[in-house]
Amino acid sequence: MAFFEQEIHDAPTTFLSKYVFSFDHKVIAKQFLWYGIAFLGIGGMMALLIRWTLAFPGEPFPVIGPMLFPHTGGVVPPDTYAMLFTLHGTIMIFFAITPILIGAFGNYCIPLLIGARDMVFPTLNMLSFWLAFVSAVLLLASLFTPLGGAAGGWTSYPTLSTLIGSAGVGQTLWCLSLFVLGVSSTMGAVNYIATIITLRAPGMGYFDMPLTIWGLWLTAILNAIFLPVLGAGLLLLTFDRVFGTTFFLAGAAATSGSGDPVLFQHVFWIFGHPEVYILILPAWGIVSDLLSFFARKPAFGAKATALAMTSITILSTLVYGHHMYSTQMSPLLTQSFMMLTMTISIPSAVFFANWLGTLWKGAIRFQTPMLFSLGVVFVFGLGGLTGLYLATVSTDLYLHDTYFVVGHFHYTMAASVLLGGFAATYFWFPKMFGRMMNETLGKWHFWISMIGLNGIFMGMMIIGHAGMHRRIYNPFVYEFLQNLIPLNMFITISALTMGAAQLFFVYNFVYSMFKGPIATQNPWEVGTLEWTIPSPAPHYNFKEVPVVKCGPHEFGNPNLSGKDFQYQTEELVRA
Amino acid sequence: MAQAQAHNIAQAKEGDKVISTIAMIVTLVSFGMLFLTLMMGFAIYRFTAPVWPPAGMEKPSLLLPTISTLVIVLSSIIYMSFEKNVVKGMADKRGLTWTLILGVAFMVSQFLFWNQLKSHGIFVSSGIFASIIYAFTWIHAAHIVAGLGLLVWLYSALKTADSMTAVKVANVGKFWHFLGIVWIIMFVTIFVL
Ligand code: HEM
Ligand SMILES: [Cu+2]
């Protein structure tokens, strides 16, 4: 705890030092937020292009189609389709969700919620953003190479992703881009871990940290451990592509000793399964806090929640094999992975029960951040339950690579993480920009998004259960799928609805930043440390480093007088 | 007031020590996972291949890799004594210089080794065994280059010697020893066994 007090630096004065090459975690957080929102837009447009193709095969995409694909009169061409789902997945996971949850809210919340003046390594922090920027440039550049961007899926399995499967430079740039992004995230992780261990305000033990910080901390640990695994895989894949090695090329056996394409899958999922938790843990932490804040009740079993999160983190490293049941793994292995995967249900159930316990008999305030948090509870419940079918070997063999998988993982990571990100944005906006977002627009955004999102992902699960494969340009060439066209249209219309709902958000965000009503210091009446300082937070955060005297969720104590919450800097009120 | 400030500074120094040590350990865990993944890949190729090295390849001569091993081990040992001196407060940079020289010698031995392979017609694309040898040694060598950078940086850090110096020396040491250990593991598993 608070190994030392950081000094107060002079405020930056030039435009460059203030907004571009800033060392201030709050500015870097905003940079990551813009970055993430921009990519959310790009990835979202790509999703619409994919969905349009599936609902109206052979018809030109309205308005922008003819501009993008003039040689086909606006119809998405088949090879472009492969590129679109690859980049949609890549962008959403690595360039939208990760920067928003971890880059933006990790940077924003960690120092503020633990009572520090900045991260321990501000320079590293800045470098980490600019490396992420370089990585984005590499990825976008890949779109303009002669054969187009990567098209081997976001998992980039060989041999799709070797020179044999995709000859263009696009795939190589994809590998390099993700490698650079991995370095950037690892740098962030080192910073987060060290900051949380050493800069907690005096008095703040690990269990006095808000659960948001728990989520971010566990995420950083997973990042530090598992990103290098992907890094190794990407290096070898790049060598295969650039230097003619044969790590992942089967069939070269006769002449020169064989490579092994399935090895890449192992490496990918040893990283990939924890990655799913890397995405979800910050959202879980944030939601666990927000549910308590807006139910005006102490988080039910906060300690158990933190421990459940920790055990899920540990277990998440042991279950990657459930992504590979259909690779002819030994049944001995599939059974073990199935067992381990099911074990995760136990801490997850604890966790989920605690969320419900927090809500139980709460004096709930249905403000926008709370609506989004409740949305997370709902969609994560659905996503978690459908996961059981994929964790079970016998059902997975049927469902694997159908739209059921797509629906499931969108519920867990796309929907719930996205909603968690929105909850966080609405919640911390006043502290970030000193103004309030509009509640009415926020509610419209929430409800229309919820309707659209459930239409999309529920629909995906249904068509998947009916046998529709994923990653196919025109599945309706198969007769047995032709009667799914109307359902596909429904999904696409839901997607357009969901896309339209985001316009409420963008308008609300930009308008409120400049014109929203001025926020008070503590508009949500919450006791964590960031609400003890002015909005927006000054560049040094805390003039006096706060001393922590109680936990983050002290609500509704009957002995409190005048207000129903107390600040973490206040002595716990006892009868 | 002055006293409080002095106290703050002392505390900050204490904090810096803890932080840089935590940061170095996390970094090494990261690098460790990178090499662990490579070794896992190697193990799978090795254990699923009916003969090793596969497809009529021959193992390269052990001479140069053995020299590399001796050089890097020696550099680590010398660095340890240098580290001890720093802790004792002796401003003796000879150990650092020798570590640096041996580090460069290690790189030279690697270049010679790659040349030797090439002159025997073994290229990085000559099959999985050659791919492993080249790719793994390249990745390791890239880290050695970073390590040499850190050693050079230590010279400037030693100029303004204060209580942080020993921490810096210890942390650079952790990185350097780590690279030595990785090399020994690679030497034994890929070249000897
Ligand atoms: C809400 C709007 C979204 C819609 C309508 C949507 C739609 C789609 C569609 C149609 C596919 C193609 C599936 C296939 O071809 O088999 C897909 C793939 C994918 N999506 Fe989304 N998506 C959305 C948001 C997200 C978000 C927020 C994420 C981030 C976590 C995400 C992650 C992925 C991934 C990883 C893939 C797999 C890509 C691949 O097969 O390589 N999506 N999505
Ligand atoms: Cu998984």
Side-chain angles (χ1 to χ4, degrees), chain A residues 1-2 200-206 208-209 546-551 568:
Chain A
M1 263 172 284
R200 277 167 295 129
M204 184 181 266
Y206 284 103
D208 301 319
M209 300 193 304
V547 178
V548 170
K549 305 208 173 95
C550 69
Q568 281 197 272

Side-chain angles (χ1 to χ4, degrees), chain B residues 45-131:
Chain B
Y45 294 124
R46 171 90 211 233
F47 291 123
T48 53
V51 283
W52 194 264
M57 289 211 59
E58 266 181 53
K59 283 202 173 179
S61 124
L62 273 182
L63 180 66
L64 278 168
T66 311
I67 294 177
S68 301
T69 311
L70 293 178
V71 168
I72 205 165
V73 168
L74 191 62
S75 80
S76 258
I77 295 174
I78 292 180
Y79 193 92
M80 279 185 224
S81 73
F82 161 67
E83 206 179 317
K84 267 199 202 113
N85 283 344
V86 171
V87 173
K88 281 193 210 134
M90 284 186 241
D92 184 358
K93 287 189 196 140
R94 269 181 309 175
L96 182 56
T97 309
W98 273 109
T99 310
L100 197 58
I101 292 173
L102 287 169
V104 174
F106 176 83
M107 282 305 289
V108 171
S109 73
Q110 295 281 290
F111 274 107
L112 291 177
F113 176 63
W114 292 326
N115 265 335
Q116 189 191 43
L117 288 180
K118 274 184 198 131
S119 61
H120 284 71
I122 302 173
F123 297 99
V124 61
S125 53
S126 318
I128 192 70
F129 186 53
S131 295

